Amino acid sequence: MSQYIILTTGIYDLIKDHIRRKKVSAAEEEILKLELKNASQVTRKNLPEDVVSINSRVTIKDCNTNEQEVHTFVAPDKAKQRNNTKSILSQIGLALVGYKVGDLVEWPFEDGMRQMEILKVEQQA
């Protein structure tokens, strides 16, 4: 997981605030602080199309089970179960935000470490 992530300045600040408010586990905090330290910050219009961000529909493959999952990430106040959307600050959102198609991401979920590959990122309007 040595890739550098790419974030908009707004998401960078959102994650920093999320950490400051102690909304993540110690293991997640350690990973996120390191990622933020090395992250590239860009404006929304300069964010590459294949990078996971707010309003992204992301297809991932769980490297342990080979199962594919699709997640749509939105701003925290827009996440709705019935719309099948997740907050970018959800555990899976924090794990994937800033990474791009082809990246392998390891993340300490409640049920243990998971390695995921990002197969597809589609930006939603």
Side-chain angles (χ1 to χ4, degrees):
M1 215 166 65
S2 62
Q3 307 103 319
Y4 295 124
I5 62 172
I6 302 170
L7 300 171
T8 62
T9 303
I11 291 178
Y12 180 93
D13 292 340
L14 203 59
I15 294 171
K16 272 187 92 158
D17 188 56
H18 201 61
I19 293 168
R20 191 178 51 75
R21 293 171 184 247
K22 299 289 185 202
K23 303 273 189 180
V24 294
S25 71
E28 291 170 321
E29 181 177 347
E30 193 176 314
I31 293 169
L32 288 169
K33 281 184 173 179
L34 186 62
E35 286 181 342
L36 290 178
K37 187 174 139 197
N38 297 313
S40 295
Q41 288 186 59
V42 298
T43 60
R44 184 88 183 136
K45 70 177 183 171
N46 290 331
L47 187 71
E49 287 282 312
D50 65 344
V51 171
V52 177
S53 189
I54 286 178
N55 297 327
S56 295
R57 186 167 188 264
V58 183
T59 305
I60 59 169
K61 178 179 83 174
D62 185 309
C63 295
N64 300 332
T65 63
N66 272 343
E67 290 180 21
Q68 288 189 16
E69 303 170 12
V70 177
H71 300 280
T72 303
F73 298 111
V74 295
D77 60 333
K78 303 269 191 271
K80 301 252 187 300
Q81 188 97 31
R82 65 176 183 221
N83 295 345
N84 209 19
T85 55
K86 290 190 169 82
S87 166
I88 199 69
L89 295 179
S90 65
Q91 198 171 34
I92 187 81
L94 286 171
L96 300 174
V97 69
Y99 285 99
K100 63 186 181 317
V101 172
D103 285 347
L104 289 175
V105 180
E106 277 189 71
W107 195 257
F109 287 92
E110 284 118 10
D111 58 353
M113 270 316 245
R114 247 178 98 187
Q115 186 177 46
M116 302 158 285
E117 180 182 0
I118 300 175
L119 301 177
K120 187 163 140 189
V121 176
E122 301 165 277
Q123 299 303 331
Q124 310 287 292

